[in-house]
């Protein structure tokens, strides 16, 4: 195993995943389907689903939650259905329903309004949406939210913490690439506006 700071980081992420999601309460991952070649299926999922769809969704929802833009969050939640396969959509909504049953540790008006809209049938209530709103409630940094979401997917499919940490490291390289590209894009935009 790695040094103690890596272990602490993993444990902290696990705590955040538990706070924003529900830790190991799910029987299956939310959108990743592990197969016998775990590394390949994880890499395929992070490139084909996580990086292009889930990661930007988490970041947009978390940013909107921080500003209490409920209507916009509900719109993103509805649009998220169109980005997922039928199977992934069903799993995401089931996981979202489970998350709605969790008690929020801190009263938050935005989360309350979103939960009421989902219960009323005005939004589907995807797991990623609710996870990101909960992360905003706890003032968790966006990169940490994304990393905790990846770990949430892993703990639902793989019981071995060492293997979880190994695959998490692979997924985090995708996250780092995403953040690096978005910083470069912002820098180019600022440079072209000067």
């Amino acid at each position: 195993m790695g040094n103690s700071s890596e272990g602490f980081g993993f444990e902290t992420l696990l705590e955040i995943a538990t706070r924003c999601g529900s830790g190991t309460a799910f029987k299956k991952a939310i959108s990743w389907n592990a197969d016998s070649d775990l590394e390949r299926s994880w890499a395929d999922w992070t490139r084909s689903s996580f990086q292009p769809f889930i990661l930007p969704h988490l970041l947009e929802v978390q940013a909107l939650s921080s500003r209490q833009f409920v209507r916009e969050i509900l719109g993103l939640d509805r649009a998220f259905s169109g980005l997922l396969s039928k199977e992934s959509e069903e799993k995401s909504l089931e996981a979202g329903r489970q998350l709605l049953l969790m008690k929020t540790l801190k009263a938050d008006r935005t989360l309350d309004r979103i939960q009421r809209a989902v219960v009323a049938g005005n939004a589907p209530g995807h797991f990623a949406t609710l996870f990101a709103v909960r992360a905003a409630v706890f003032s968790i940094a966006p990169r940490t939210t994304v990393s905790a979401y990846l770990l949430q997917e892993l703990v639902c499919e793989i019981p071995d913490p060492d293997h979880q940490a190994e695959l998490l490291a692979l997924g985090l390289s995708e996250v780092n690439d995403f953040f690096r590209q978005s910083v470069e894009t912002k820098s180019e935009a600022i440079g072209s506006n000067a």
Side-chain angles (χ1 to χ4, degrees), residues 1-8 162 165:
M1 191 83 188
N3 67 33
S4 62
S5 69
E6 287 173 351
F8 176 77
D162 288 339

Side-chain angles (χ1 to χ4, degrees), residues 14 34 38-39 44 64 79 82-83 111 121 123 135 138 141 147 153 159 166:
L14 194 54
L38 289 175
E39 282 187 24
D44 289 349
L64 291 168
L83 301 176
L111 182 58
F138 293 112
S147 302
E153 289 277 357
E166 196 178 296

Side-chain angles (χ1 to χ4, degrees), residues 9-58:
F10 184 83
E11 291 301 316
T12 300
L13 275 183
L14 194 54
E15 182 183 317
I16 291 167
T18 302
R19 187 178 289 181
C20 296
S22 65
T24 56
F26 302 121
K27 304 289 183 261
K28 285 286 190 186
I30 292 91
S31 68
W32 173 48
N33 290 316
D35 63 24
S36 56
D37 186 345
L38 289 175
E39 282 187 24
R40 186 191 49 74
S41 70
W42 179 250
D44 289 349
W45 174 79
T46 57
R47 280 189 213 103
S48 67
S49 296
F50 183 73
Q51 189 177 17
F53 305 121
I54 299 169
L55 191 159
H57 181 76
L58 289 167

Side-chain angles (χ1 to χ4, degrees), residues 121-182:
N122 298 326
H126 283 285
F127 180 82
T129 304
L130 298 170
F131 189 95
V133 173
R134 290 175 67 91
V137 169
F138 293 112
S139 302
I140 296 168
R143 188 184 294 249
T144 304
T145 298
V146 169
S147 302
Y149 183 91
L150 280 172
L151 185 57
Q152 174 74 58
E153 289 277 357
L154 286 166
V155 297
C156 294
E157 285 283 297
I158 303 172
D160 176 20
D162 288 339
H163 209 159
Q164 291 167 0
E166 196 178 296
L167 290 177
L168 180 63
L170 294 173
L172 291 178
S173 71
E174 297 285 329
V175 170
N176 291 335
D177 288 347
F178 179 90
F179 278 96
R180 190 172 20 264
Q181 289 169 351
S182 59

